[in-house]
Each structure stands twice: as structure tokens, then as C-alpha cells.
């Protein structure tokens, strides 16, 4: 099956879930879309003190010139109506996530790879705020805060909801954040009700990621996609029903990737990531999900890098389609 494209997803969105996603990509009163290239029409907002992973940080009210240095903060900013003036990307990604319309990301300046950003490029943008996490940028925090107030969460992935609230506080968009959270919860309730009606709750969904330079990874409950699946009421294969984010397996243990539904993605080049070799292997071909035509490729930038409310909303729609609910 071909990967479901962003265009297809946008066309298929319905109900409150679709309304939530539409709110993420269009102007709305709760979170007017702004960017560092123009001015906000809102009255001045006082500075806020954000309790970050490295201590309190004072941020100017409603910062507009925002730089994001990881994929989760990019999702948060765009979801809340802020188009960053600059953003990092994972090293193997040649573009910003295409689950966002091109019109939202076309003017974002590239500031280097996530985990190794170009400080000179960030300095040139004259940012009001830098958003990232300790895992990516803890070792360069002092250099970053010389350029602009820098808000770091401790990590990314599983605590994405708490991180989103911190991002919203730093961006002075807490009211908008509450509206998006409410929309997501209603969307989630619709999806779980559909799964329940179709007797799909508990269906075991496997998550596999082929990583250039990192082998075959299976994802557990303490990962971004793992938390979304758990909220949707679907189960996980025994090998992945673990309280950790992810773990690597050798090809001879590929049976651990089996499930009632198998979703797989590739970060980087499919040849160098081992995707092509694994999919052609006897072990992969013997998996029940593969033999039953229930193994589907998904967008890595969405499922494993989205890490935010807009990404999660799209994932719920894809999951519902894959399971046929």
C-alpha cells in the first residue's frame, strides 16, 4: 500500500478531529497565525517566567521571532499559530514535515541539523525565543541563551503533552493550547468509539523504524507513537509492550516486529537504513502481518518525529484507516 499523503489526509478529515487540524493550519481567533516576518495585531503581552528544565527563564510576551531546534517544538509552534523564522531538521531529512502545508513552512530558514545547529545562522535571525530540549541542546545551552531566551524541556517523545504546555507558556498561547487540547480529546473519543464499535480495541499494533546508522528499532509504550496508540485503546505486541521508548533488534529477531497491524517507517536512505534488505528477507516475509497484507509504510516525519498535537491528530486518522474502522 502506498503511503497516505498529506493531501489525502487533509481531504479525508471529518468532524471535530478535522476541525482541530483545520485550526492548526488556518487563522483563528484563539491563535492568530503570526511569524517573524510581520507584526501581530494583538495588544502587548507582558513577559512571562517559564520554569524550564534548566531553571526559570524570562521570555518576552508573545515572542514572534522564534527558532525551533527539534521536531517537537516545530509542531508546537506551528500548532499554536507561530511560524518559526528558523528551524533545525534531523540530519537525514531534506525538508520540513510535509504533513504541514508548504505555505506554512516555505519561509522557515534552515539553521542546521538537530543536535548540531549553526549558531551563526541563529544569531543572524535575531530571535526572541529559542525552543529545544536538553537531549538535543543541553550541552550548548549557555551559547544559545546568549543569542535569545532559550526554553528547554528535559527530553522529547513520551512527555509531549506536558512539553506542549511549556511551549505554549513560552509563546504566550496558553488559551489557544487549551482549545487544541480539547479538540484533540474530542477527536480521540471519536476514534476510540469507532474502534469499539468495530471491536478493534486491543488490536495489537506493531511499530517498526528503520534508521540509517541505527538498525531496526521497535517502539515501546514510552514513545510518542506508543502513547498515541495507548490513548486510542489499541494494544501492542508482547515484545513492544514495555515501559521504554525504543530498542534495537538484529534481523534474526524480526519476529518481534509482528502484530495484528504492522506500521513501519524509514529515517534516512532505505538502502543504508536496511529497509530494503529487511523487507526482502525470509523473516520479514514470514511475519503474519506481512502475509496477511496488514503491514504498511508510514511517514517517518509524522509517526516518529511529529511529536505534537497536530502530528497526533493525523496519526489517529491514519490508524483509523489502516484498521478499517
Amino acid at each position: 500500500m502506498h503511503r497516505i499523503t498529506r493531501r489525502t489526509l487533509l481531504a479525508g478529515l471529518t468532524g471535530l478531529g478535522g476541525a482541530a487540524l483545520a485550526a492548526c493550519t488556518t487563522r483563528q481567533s484563539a491563535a492568530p497565525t503570526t511569524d517573524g516576518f510581520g507584526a501581530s495585531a494583538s495588544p502587548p503581552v507582558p513577559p512571562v517566567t517559564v520554569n524550564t528544565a534548566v531553571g526559570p527563564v524570562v521570555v518576552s510576551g508573545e515572542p514572534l521571532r522564534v527558532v525551533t531546534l527539534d521536531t517537537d517544538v516545530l509542531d508546537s509552534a506551528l500548532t499554536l499559530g507561530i511560524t518559526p523564522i528558523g528551524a533545525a531538521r534531523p540530519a537525514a531529512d531534506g525538508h520540513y514535515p510535509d504533513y504541514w502545508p508548504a505555505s506554512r513552512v516555505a519561509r522557515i530558514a534552515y539553521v542546521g541539523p538537530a543536535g548540531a545547529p549553526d549558531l551563526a545562522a541563529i544569531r543572524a535571525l535575531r530571535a526572541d525565543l529559542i525552543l529545544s530540549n536538553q537531549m538535543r541542546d543541553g550541552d550548548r545551552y549557555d551559547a544559545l541563551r546568549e543569542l535569545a531566551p532559550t526554553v528547554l524541556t528535559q527530553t522529547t517523545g513520551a512527555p509531549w503533552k506536558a512539553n506542549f504546555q511549556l511551549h505554549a507558556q513560552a509563546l504566550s498561547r496558553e488559551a489557544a493550547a487549551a482549545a487544541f487540547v480539547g479538540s484533540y480529546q474530542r477527536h480521540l473519543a471519536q476514534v476510540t468509539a469507532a474502534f469499539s464499535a468495530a471491536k478493534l480495541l486491543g488490536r495489537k499494533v506493531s511499530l517498526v523504524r528503520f534508521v540509517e546508522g541505527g538498525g531496526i528499532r521497535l517502539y515501546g509504550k514510552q514513545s510518542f507513537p506508543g502513547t498515541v496508540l495507548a490513548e486510542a485503546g489499541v494494544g501492542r505486541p508482547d515484545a513492544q509492550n514495555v515501559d521504554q521508548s525504543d530498542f534495537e533488534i538484529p534481523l534474526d529477531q524480526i519476529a518481534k516486529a509482528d502484530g495484528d497491524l504492522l506500521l513501519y517507517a524509514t529515517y534516512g536512505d532505505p538502502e543504508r537504513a536496511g529497509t530494503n534488505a529487511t523487507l526482502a528477507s525470509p523473516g520479514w516475509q514470514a511475519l503474519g502481518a506481512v502475509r496477511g497484507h496488514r503491514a504498511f509504510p508510514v511517514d517517518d516525519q509524522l509517526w516518529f518525529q511529529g511529536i505534537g498535537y497536530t502530528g497526533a491528530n493525523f496519526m489517529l486518522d491514519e490508524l483509523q484507516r489502516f484498521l478499517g474502522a
Side-chain angles (χ1 to χ4, degrees):
M1 175 178 177
H2 295 295
R3 178 173 67 83
I4 295 177
T5 65
R6 179 178 59 81
R7 183 185 297 274
T8 303
L9 279 173
L10 288 171
L13 292 174
T14 56
L16 291 171
L21 286 167
C24 295
T25 54
T26 59
R27 187 177 299 270
Q28 57 157 335
S29 59
T33 299
T34 57
D35 56 38
F37 312 104
S40 170
S42 303
V45 177
V48 296
T49 299
V50 184
N51 291 319
T52 76
V54 293
V57 173
V58 178
V59 179
S60 61
E62 199 175 53
L64 299 180
R65 301 184 66 81
V66 178
V67 171
T68 62
L69 299 181
D70 208 346
T71 59
D72 64 320
V73 285
L74 178 62
D75 188 284
S76 288
L78 289 169
T79 294
L80 291 168
I82 298 290
T83 301
I85 57 170
R89 294 194 304 259
D93 289 336
H95 57 83
Y96 294 115
D98 65 4
Y99 68 86
W100 289 100
S103 60
R104 290 299 308 276
V105 300
R107 299 177 69 188
I108 300 176
Y110 176 59
V111 298
D118 183 337
L119 298 183
I122 297 173
R123 181 181 296 108
L125 292 174
R126 298 178 291 108
D128 298 327
L129 173 66
I130 298 170
L131 294 174
S132 188
N133 58 77
Q134 279 191 308
M135 181 181 70
R136 290 289 193 195
D137 294 299
D139 61 351
R140 64 185 59 81
Y141 174 70
D142 287 339
L144 289 170
R145 68 175 179 169
E146 290 295 320
L147 305 178
T150 300
V151 170
L152 302 183
T153 57
Q154 184 173 3
T155 187
T156 185
W160 61 278
K161 289 186 172 182
N163 291 350
F164 178 75
Q165 296 298 330
L166 192 74
H167 303 154
Q169 183 184 10
L171 293 166
S172 300
R173 294 294 177 101
E174 291 171 288
F180 280 101
V181 170
S183 294
Y184 173 78
Q185 292 299 329
R186 291 188 290 274
H187 186 196
L188 182 64
Q190 290 178 338
V191 172
T192 54
F195 288 164
S196 178
K199 302 187 185 303
L200 294 171
L201 292 178
R203 191 65 59 90
K204 294 182 178 181
V205 178
S206 173
L207 295 171
V208 183
R209 191 185 192 202
F210 301 100
V211 179
E212 184 176 329
I216 305 169
R217 293 184 188 175
L218 304 185
Y219 278 70
K221 295 188 294 183
Q222 297 303 314
S223 64
F224 167 62
T227 62
V228 175
L229 292 183
E231 287 192 317
V234 297
R236 305 300 309 284
D238 292 343
Q240 299 172 38
N241 195 32
V242 293
D243 287 319
Q244 62 188 92
S245 175
D246 58 87
F247 56 95
E248 292 185 17
I249 60 168
L251 181 56
D252 62 10
Q253 294 182 20
I254 198 64
K256 294 180 179 179
D258 209 357
D260 297 321
L261 173 68
L262 193 164
L263 304 177
Y264 64 93
T266 299
Y267 172 69
D269 179 78
E271 191 65 36
R272 292 194 292 269
T275 309
N276 296 342
T278 301
L279 268 57
S281 70
W284 179 270
Q285 294 298 320
L287 296 177
V290 175
R291 289 186 287 108
H293 306 288
R294 300 186 308 276
F296 304 108
V298 295
D299 183 357
D300 187 77
Q301 288 186 301
L302 173 61
W303 278 80
F304 295 97
Q305 299 180 43
I307 315 180
Y309 276 96
T310 295
N313 268 307
F314 277 114
M315 289 165 61
L316 289 175
D317 284 298
E318 282 210 16
L319 183 64
Q320 189 170 1
R321 293 182 185 203
F322 285 133
L323 287 173

